[in-house]
Amino acid sequence: MKNNPLILLIFFLISCNVGEVHDAIHGSSSGRDLSNYGEPSAPLILISIDGFRWDYLDKTETPNLDRLVSNGSKAEGLKTVYPSKTFPNHISIVTGNYPSNHGIISNYFYDSDFDEYFYIGAGSKAAQDGKWIEAEPIWVTVEKQAKRAMIMFWPMSDAEIMGIRPSKYFVYNETPTNIDRIDQLLSWLLHVGNARPSFLASYFSIVDSIGHSYGPDADETIEAIRDVDKAIGHLIDGLEAQNILNEVNIMIVSDHGMTETPDTKVINIADYINLDDVITIGGGPFMEIRPNEDKLESIYQALQNIDNTQVFKKEDIPEKFHYKNNDRIEPILLLADEHWSIMKPGRTPAAGSHGYDPDYQSMNGIFIGHGPAFKSEFSGPEIQLVHLYEMMCKILDITPASNDGSLDVGSVFLKD
Ligand code: AMP
Ligand code: ZN
Ligand code: ZN
């Protein structure tokens, strides 16, 4: 009993409080083994702070992020792809493709071939299923080229994609603290030889969730900003303790910003169309609408000229959104102006939201790069997040898969 391995494992998991690490060497269908891996490159650590708006660094003291900024590179803003939601943008960061080309066209959408809905959140089976993704994420590129990826949460990093998984990954859950997540990355960096990771990633959700609940300017949001800054401080301290702070590359990004969505700015969709005539998908900054047979034209006409919205048939969605060429996009898109929420009857918006046209500056996130690959004391222009995949492949010295980004755009932040 005393040395029962199962009990020891349970104690270990409780004390770590992070869930179960998955080791793809034993779990993947790729059939690769340790001996296939070559020399690791200088590690690249990618951290996403969900919903960290471009100007949040100026809202309060963020000494740790400021330290990375002053010794590294920072963009004026990181421009999101449409829709400015979590999954489409995280997958655009790691594939370099627009959502219509990587397939994760929203947080919630329908696929007629599968006759299933994709959805997100802890416990989502869809978000752990690689069949939904139509482009190659960086961790697959890394692993295919004989380097290791180790990921402590990133959207779809817990899915097998093209037969490949990260060498280490966790199934998404909300229990581990941000400090736990950083500790996991730091412990992976202790691996030596061909067990050492080249690419590491993690994800913090608190700034986004508090931003939704209280709004971007609330004291609670400022507290969450300080909280993630402390986690970044923990990363810096841990890298310094391992004596590698200036040998690893760090990229801090966010997937979108946040704006106020007051309950006085609500468009009740039922005031314009009969909900029995359509299936609606989503709500808030935008609503996707699938009219019943023969109803397309009448529904489209009924949605014309609603104040504070724009309506598009799928084929007329403006080119700047890159949001047409995927069967998962519904026939009609009703898009709200900033601050407005399109809702079904009886629903009210949270205090803050995102999902609007990426041209609103409030939708911009952050980009900070620090380490040997990045220029120091450099402040650069706004950059769109589809260009980050090419940048990461360059830093890791691997060949990118086909994507919509350009290295030229990102290279202004890199040393020659
Ligand atoms: P959003 O509604 O666009 O703000 O999405 C944020 C939400 O995405 C978080 O609150 C989580 O519930 C969810 N999420 C983030 N990462 C993952 C993941 N790896 N798997 C499933 N859901 C996730
Ligand atoms: Zn997000
Ligand atoms: Zn959010």
Side-chain angles (χ1 to χ4, degrees), residues 50-51 85-86 90 208 255-256 354:
D50 197 320
K85 290 280 189 185
T86 295
H90 276 89
D208 177 71
D255 52 346
H256 51 71
H354 52 87

Side-chain angles (χ1 to χ4, degrees), residues 20-24 151 157-158 165-171 188:
E20 184 188 356
V21 62
H22 291 267
D23 186 341
I151 304 186
S157 62
D158 42 359
R165 290 182 182 275
S167 282
K168 306 269 184 194
Y169 65 94
F170 283 81
V171 173
W188 282 333

Side-chain angles (χ1 to χ4, degrees), residues 91 98-119 126 129-135 156 281 286 288-290 314 317 323-333:
I91 303 304
Y98 289 106
S100 55
N101 290 335
H102 65 55
I104 309 299
I105 59 134
S106 196
N107 282 345
Y108 181 62
F109 61 88
Y110 175 72
D111 180 289
S112 56
D113 290 337
F114 302 153
D115 190 20
E116 283 172 49
Y117 280 86
F118 181 88
Y119 61 99
D129 190 340
K131 76 178 182 186
W132 292 94
I133 189 163
E134 298 166 349
M156 308 225 54
I281 294 161
F286 60 86
E288 299 240 8
I289 296 166
R290 190 187 323 149
K314 177 178 176 174
I317 294 175
Y323 202 68
K324 263 187 213 157
N325 304 323
N326 195 299
D327 290 345
R328 295 168 177 175
I329 299 166
E330 297 292 346
I332 294 178
L333 169 63

Side-chain angles (χ1 to χ4, degrees), residues 138-186:
I138 182 101
W139 59 84
V140 173
T141 315
V142 165
E143 294 275 342
K144 271 165 86 176
Q145 296 180 44
K147 296 178 194 283
R148 289 188 186 283
M150 301 193 182
I151 304 186
M152 180 69 221
F153 300 154
W154 190 277
M156 308 225 54
S157 62
D158 42 359
E160 184 173 295
I161 297 166
M162 301 165 179
I164 292 182
R165 290 182 182 275
S167 282
K168 306 269 184 194
Y169 65 94
F170 283 81
V171 173
Y172 185 65
N173 71 89
E174 282 163 3
T175 312
T177 64
N178 295 337
I179 299 292
D180 292 335
R181 299 174 196 199
I182 293 296
D183 280 339
Q184 182 60 71
L185 298 187
L186 290 168

Side-chain angles (χ1 to χ4, degrees), residues 52-64:
F52 197 104
R53 198 168 77 181
W54 68 281
D55 59 346
Y56 277 5
L57 288 171
D58 301 328
K59 277 191 177 295
T60 181
E61 291 83 49
T62 49
N64 299 298

